[in-house]
Amino acid sequence: MVSNVKSYTLIGVNAVEVLVQVDAGRGMPGTIVVGLPDSAVKESRERVKAAIVNSGYPFPAKKIVINLAPADVKKEGTIYDLPISIGILVAQNIVSGEKLNEYLIAGELGLKGEIRKVKGALAAAILAKQKGYKGIILPAENAEEASLISGIEIIPIKHLSEAVAFLNGDITIEPVTKTLIEDIPDFNVDMSDIAGQYHAKRAVEIAAAGGHNILFVGPPGSGKTMLSRRIPTILPPMTEKEIIETTQIYSAAGMLNGIVTKRPYRAPHHTVSDVALIGGGSSIRPGEVSLAHNGVLFLDEFPEFKRSALEALRQPIEDGEVTISRISGSVTFPAKFMLVAAMNP
């Protein structure tokens, strides 16, 4: 019997639908994962087996083939632990397959069946709404970010047995309601901390009002860094759209610690590599220019940065986005930020 569970993978900061197919049939007992899985996905075989057994369910002594479709898209991370385990239990008729077409499912499993947070839950919620799914089943730790998207059910799950009971209709889980963003960001610094520097503060106000880039030139200790750190405090509050965009980037990068309601302030060291600044890597990830999206990118000791890194800033400054092209594909990240640079005379 072949079971089908819907999940997702991340390409850049956006989610793409993935079909997790599980076939438990005749053959030497064992588990094979196909469909361009990385090491973390391959290792899910052991996590899934331990989680199923320790949750009180039998693990089939059969040849289990797990296919992640589309097979030509690389699959990364621990997103597929929960979908794979559900697929195995469906193949044994332990879980009913009636609700599987209504939800996207994602989650990392612990050896006792507990479910841990994953990357890109907000992007998955956006995908679920675009594709017309009823909702998304995901770790409880990811529920807050996913609830930024209205119009779909956000089902928080803490344990594999809870997911099984929900899919079988044995329990009802109240969907998480849409997060209302009403908090005014609380900053631990303020522009009033700066004594004097009236011309510099006036220049900062003009730059912040118009979204312009600015360069500070002055001797060490004159307050260049101090001024830059206070720029986010005088920028307008983030709109709901900006909050969703920025939270989606941090979620995809695995750096999310609650919904992003403050404008980002990123200050990479001048030894930063081109890839860390712009984005990229073997599995393409957002760089500092994208992490500063809708906020401030501060480059101290500006002349010390490598020329190649500074030249790479041209596209994000002009277009508000950066396109990373590698053999594995091309990804476009949002990168609309206010560039603040500082240097000695």
Side-chain angles (χ1 to χ4, degrees):
M1 175 181 177
V2 177
S3 58
N4 296 318
V5 183
K6 305 293 179 60
S7 189
Y8 71 94
T9 189
L10 287 174
I11 298 181
V13 297
N14 298 313
V16 176
E17 188 175 351
V18 168
L19 177 63
V20 180
Q21 296 181 301
V22 179
D23 176 52
R26 294 181 179 181
M28 290 290 292
T31 305
I32 301 171
V33 183
V34 296
L36 284 185
D38 71 348
S39 298
V41 179
K42 291 178 181 177
E43 290 172 355
S44 68
R45 295 174 298 186
E46 307 305 324
R47 290 193 299 272
V48 166
K49 183 176 181 179
I52 289 176
V53 172
N54 290 328
S55 297
Y57 306 110
F59 191 85
K62 297 181 178 180
K63 181 179 180 180
I64 300 173
V65 179
I66 300 161
N67 179 43
L68 307 175
D72 59 344
V73 176
K74 189 173 183 180
K75 318 302 186 308
E76 299 177 331
T78 55
I79 294 171
Y80 309 105
D81 290 6
L82 182 58
I84 289 172
S85 62
I86 294 296
I88 291 174
L89 294 175
V90 170
Q92 299 182 85
N93 295 317
I94 295 173
V95 172
S96 170
E98 293 180 5
K99 292 185 178 181
L100 289 183
N101 289 327
E102 299 177 355
Y103 294 93
L104 286 183
I105 301 177
E108 176 186 338
L109 285 174
L111 298 185
K112 293 182 179 179
E114 67 274 19
I115 299 178
R116 302 192 177 108
K117 67 186 296 185
V118 294
K119 296 179 182 178
L122 177 53
I126 294 172
L127 174 68
K129 185 173 182 178
Q130 290 173 343
K131 294 288 186 178
Y133 285 99
K134 183 177 181 180
I136 178 171
I137 299 173
L138 77 177
E141 293 178 79
N142 292 112
E144 183 185 21
E145 61 174 289
S147 66
L148 286 172
I149 306 303
S150 59
I152 60 171
E153 292 184 0
I154 308 298
I155 308 296
I157 301 291
K158 295 182 179 179
H159 197 275
L160 175 60
S161 58
E162 196 176 0
V164 171
F166 173 77
L167 290 171
N168 285 336
D170 298 332
I171 63 171
T172 300
I173 299 176
E174 193 68 27
V176 177
T177 55
K178 179 176 171 60
T179 300
L180 296 177
I181 304 162
E182 299 176 338
D183 297 339
I184 298 174
D186 182 28
F187 296 95
N188 56 7
V189 295
D190 193 84
M191 195 65 79
S192 63
D193 300 334
I194 301 172
Q197 295 287 14
Y198 301 112
H199 288 88
K201 285 192 284 188
R202 175 63 176 158
V204 165
E205 290 169 2
I206 294 170
H212 307 301
N213 304 317
I214 187 170
L215 171 65
F216 295 124
V217 181
S222 58
K224 303 185 295 296
T225 302
M226 189 177 182
L227 272 166
S228 74
R229 287 176 179 161
R230 283 151 180 77
I231 291 176
T233 68
I234 63 172
L235 290 172
M238 296 179 75
T239 64
E240 182 176 350
K241 180 183 177 183
E242 289 176 329
I243 288 173
I244 291 174
E245 286 177 351
T246 309
T247 302
Q248 185 177 348
I249 293 169
Y250 278 77
S251 176
M255 300 172 61
L256 190 63
N257 186 20
I259 296 171
V260 181
T261 56
K262 289 184 181 179
R263 292 193 178 274
Y265 175 84
R266 303 293 299 181
H269 193 260
H270 60 78
T271 57
V272 66
S273 68
D274 299 3
V275 170
L277 183 63
I278 303 302
S282 55
S283 56
I284 303 176
R285 301 191 183 281
E288 292 290 338
V289 295
S290 296
L291 296 173
H293 182 60
N294 291 323
V296 174
L297 177 66
F298 177 55
L299 302 183
D300 200 6
E301 302 294 346
F302 197 54
E304 300 296 329
F305 282 81
K306 291 187 295 183
R307 176 169 180 164
S308 58
L310 297 181
E311 291 287 351
L313 289 173
R314 290 177 182 271
Q315 185 191 17
I317 288 175
E318 292 176 3
D319 301 336
E321 61 184 23
V322 58
T323 300
I324 311 295
S325 297
R326 298 289 184 269
I327 293 177
S328 58
S330 181
V331 175
T332 298
F333 293 110
K336 186 179 180 182
F337 54 85
M338 178 179 174
L339 176 64
V340 180
M343 58 181 284
N344 299 326

